[in-house]
Amino acid sequence: MDERIVEVFDEILDVDLIDVVISNSTDAKKINKVKIRPIMLKQQLIFQVSEYCGTQVFHFNYKKQELIEKLQEYFTGLFRQVQIKTVTKNISILLSKKGTVTIKKKLVGKEIRRTADLSHNRKKTYILKEDRKVPFLIDLGIMTSEGKIVSSKYDKFKQINRYLEFIEDVVEYLPKDREINIIDFGCGKSYLTFAVYYYLQELKGFDVRITGLDLKEDVIEHCNQLSRQYGYEKLSFQMGDIAQYNEQDQVDVVITLHACDTATDLAMQKAVMWGAKVIMCVPCCQHEVNGMIESDLLQPILKYGLIKERISALITDGLRARMLEEMGYQVQVLEFIDMAHTPKNILIRAVKQGTVKNTKESKQDIQDVLDALHINPSLYQLLLENMDKK
């Protein structure tokens, strides 16, 4: 580990530390992200380390010197970015592929200096603050006109924040020097569409344009009315079908929340064809594979309708994730507590990382699954089969 990184951590690992976020992993399957914060445990300063591995989070407590030794593991080719917040300064560390280390420090003005919270079980800090008036949350009935969360709507408030946390994790991959173009397919009432716009435009200061697409005329009209009311100049809604939508030449992020059955596959195909940097899909109503799947080995358990339905849904999402990997994306399948409190709580998040593989050898594992289960899902037809014919 570079000595300058050691010096930075030796300097900031004290009671004035707010938090540390270590990201841009080179092996997301091992550890995707690490967060560090100070806590007082039995009257001793300890540093709590949270390692994010897929859908799981593992917590460890280290003393200062133990943590510095642990950092050797993180900065020996595993992570390339660090963001540090202390009471008095912000520090960023970037590590290039060639090992070059860039460290930038910025003092925090006295008028906005923070206070470190050393409590072991500190209150959850949400992206959308509980005491800050947010227009769309008020109109949704989640927040009062005074900025307080309605007690019966607190779960929905947490769920919206949970979704924004997924967005926050991929902000670093979005362009900083131009307008960010986002499509939300099947946007419905658009509470998440408004939340994403508010977060990126109002809180993060990005130049972002979001288009919501849905088939319901009354919903689209209402959402456009609200967008104008809030002064969201680059948030608009259109009536339209995913399959027929070809109005964009460049899209950076594609979002779908509960696009039914193969509509999710059409959205993914559009995203890949656009070369979208980020894809975020919460699938719904996956009937296609359920109607195809056949397996002598699994027949004793597939005879139960509910079991067959859930196995088919999981296979569908697993194949979607694997096919996106084939198209050059780094993919995570995450647990997402959706707005309707249903079992459909999987989020597929994909970030464009490389070039399309599309070789017979690299996708043989996909073909083996299709052959074994006698299925030919839409996304395979839309992406891989079509590419083979070119």
Side-chain angles (χ1 to χ4, degrees), residues 310-326:
R310 293 191 180 179
I311 287 176
S312 298
L314 289 171
I315 288 171
T316 300
D317 289 335
L319 286 169
R320 284 167 170 163
R322 179 63 188 85
M323 282 185 255
L324 288 176
E325 287 182 345
E326 192 66 23

Side-chain angles (χ1 to χ4, degrees), residues 67-331:
L67 177 55
I68 290 177
E69 292 173 5
K70 179 67 177 178
L71 293 173
Q72 295 280 352
E73 176 185 332
Y74 296 150
F75 298 117
T76 308
L78 182 55
F79 290 102
R80 295 203 180 115
Q81 184 168 335
V82 186
Q83 295 293 332
I84 300 170
K85 294 179 182 178
T86 76
V87 173
T88 58
K89 65 174 78 77
N90 293 331
I91 303 172
S92 66
I93 304 174
L94 297 177
L95 294 85
S96 71
K97 292 181 180 179
K98 295 182 180 180
T100 303
V101 176
T102 303
I103 299 174
K104 295 182 179 180
K105 299 181 181 181
K106 183 178 180 180
L107 293 176
V108 177
K110 291 182 179 179
E111 68 280 3
I112 58 172
R113 285 187 180 179
R114 300 147 292 199
T115 301
D117 183 354
L118 302 180
S119 60
H120 181 55
N121 296 310
R122 62 183 177 183
K123 187 176 181 181
K124 170 73 174 178
T125 301
Y126 293 109
I127 291 176
L128 301 181
K129 306 300 183 184
E130 297 185 50
D131 56 352
R132 180 172 179 175
K133 296 180 184 179
V134 181
F136 70 90
L137 290 183
I138 294 174
D139 286 338
L140 279 172
I142 296 173
M143 180 179 282
T144 69
S145 57
E146 291 78 31
K148 304 298 182 182
I149 305 302
V150 177
S151 58
S152 62
K153 299 291 185 179
Y154 205 84
D155 283 344
K156 182 167 286 190
F157 174 74
K158 291 193 293 184
Q159 291 159 8
I160 293 173
N161 274 282
R162 174 69 169 155
Y163 192 81
L164 291 181
E165 287 173 1
F166 289 128
I167 296 288
E168 184 178 46
D169 288 340
V170 298
V171 161
E172 63 185 282
Y173 301 104
L174 302 180
K176 310 292 191 301
D177 56 347
R178 61 172 176 81
E179 180 182 83
I180 301 168
N181 196 1
I182 299 175
I183 297 288
D184 186 349
F185 283 126
C187 58
K189 294 181 180 179
S190 302
Y191 44 81
L192 288 181
T193 321
F194 280 101
V196 172
Y197 186 88
Y198 178 84
Y199 170 66
L200 292 175
Q201 181 82 20
E202 302 291 324
L203 300 186
K204 302 298 289 186
F206 282 100
D207 181 9
V208 59
R209 180 178 297 277
I210 301 182
T211 303
L213 193 74
D214 201 271
L215 293 171
K216 297 178 181 178
E217 183 177 3
D218 57 335
V219 170
I220 292 300
E221 183 179 342
H222 179 65
C223 290
N224 276 321
Q225 179 185 344
L226 289 178
S227 183
R228 290 191 294 268
Q229 177 182 321
Y230 303 149
Y232 293 170
E233 297 180 358
K234 292 189 175 184
L235 174 59
S236 61
F237 300 87
Q238 301 177 22
M239 272 190 64
D241 182 83
I242 295 174
Q244 305 302 321
Y245 187 82
N246 292 298
E247 296 184 22
Q248 304 277 0
D249 295 322
Q250 182 182 43
V251 176
D252 300 297
V253 181
V254 170
I255 294 171
T256 67
L257 180 70
H258 296 165
C260 288
D261 203 15
T262 57
T264 294
D265 301 300
L266 288 168
M268 288 181 171
Q269 186 241 4
K270 293 281 187 184
V272 170
M273 295 300 101
W274 279 320
K277 189 65 178 174
V278 175
I279 303 171
M280 294 187 64
C281 293
V282 179
C284 180
C285 306
Q286 297 140 301
H287 302 307
E288 186 183 43
V289 167
N290 190 33
M292 298 177 177
I293 188 169
E294 294 180 10
S295 170
D296 292 338
L297 178 63
L298 297 178
Q299 187 53 38
I301 57 176
L302 291 179
K303 70 178 182 179
Y304 305 107
L306 180 60
I307 300 298
K308 182 182 178 184
E309 178 186 344
R310 293 191 180 179
I311 287 176
S312 298
L314 289 171
I315 288 171
T316 300
D317 289 335
L319 286 169
R320 284 167 170 163
R322 179 63 188 85
M323 282 185 255
L324 288 176
E325 287 182 345
E326 192 66 23
M327 305 309 295
Y329 285 82
Q330 177 182 306
V331 184

